[in-house]
Amino acid sequence: FPLSDRSVTRLVNDPSDVHSISGHRVSCLLGDRDNTLWAGTGRGLNEYLPLNQSFAAQIRLRGTVSRIWIDSGSGPRRYYVASTYGDGLVELDAAFRRIHTWPSVPFGAADKDNRQVLDLLRTRNGTLWVATFNGLYRYDSDTRSFRGFPRDAPAGQRPASVHLTALVEDTAGRQI
């Protein structure tokens, strides 16, 4: 997103304007391969429309959007939106229709910390990792379920800290 001049435009939430961003606080941003800017707020996922200098709210969510991830691999495009204190993890199709919602990761977990999805990472080999306030989880696309490494797992089977706020894969393919 190159800056063509030195001006800055402030885009704010205006409840009377359907083309304003959906919330007052932007919690995450993502630029995709099509040069589309996505903004997550406390009320949902927004797509920036540069010609109008406005936003289109693509989906309203409960909770604050903590991470946006777009799967544009060999199959149809999918959007994954993580949120805290709300919808958990949501999978959307290319038309922004909900395919699946995991209110907690894993589904059915009673601990409220499992509803706080903080980060997502899709590794080079296609594994989807999900960080929650209760630990780290790996998604199994065959069973559409999660295998967990929660804070109450035996030593050696859980992360050193369960409050993971970021997941990263380095150039050597290691997840850190």
Side-chain angles (χ1 to χ4, degrees), residues 80-99:
Y80 293 86
V81 182
S83 70
T84 56
Y85 296 111
D87 286 325
L89 178 61
V90 179
E91 179 183 13
L92 308 166
D93 68 11
F96 302 101
R97 292 181 300 248
R98 286 181 191 236
I99 295 171

Side-chain angles (χ1 to χ4, degrees), residues 85-156:
Y85 296 111
D87 286 325
L89 178 61
V90 179
E91 179 183 13
L92 308 166
D93 68 11
F96 302 101
R97 292 181 300 248
R98 286 181 191 236
I99 295 171
H100 198 82
T101 300
W102 295 272
S104 62
V105 175
F107 184 77
D111 192 321
K112 66 178 179 173
D113 286 347
N114 289 83
R115 293 192 333 251
Q116 299 181 62
V117 179
L118 301 173
D119 201 5
L120 305 170
L121 172 68
R122 174 73 74 164
T123 62
R124 290 184 199 147
N125 69 5
T127 302
L128 177 64
W129 291 92
V130 178
T132 74
F133 267 12
N134 195 28
L136 181 64
Y137 296 85
R138 182 176 58 217
Y139 182 64
D140 182 335
S141 58
D142 293 331
T143 63
R144 295 187 63 80
S145 63
F146 291 90
R147 179 176 186 276
F149 304 91
R151 64 178 169 223
D152 55 359

Side-chain angles (χ1 to χ4, degrees), residues 10-15 17 19-24 55:
R10 183 173 180 225
L11 302 166
V12 297
N13 171 259
D14 177 355
D17 181 359
H19 298 291
S20 72
I21 194 163
S22 66
H24 294 292
F55 281 89

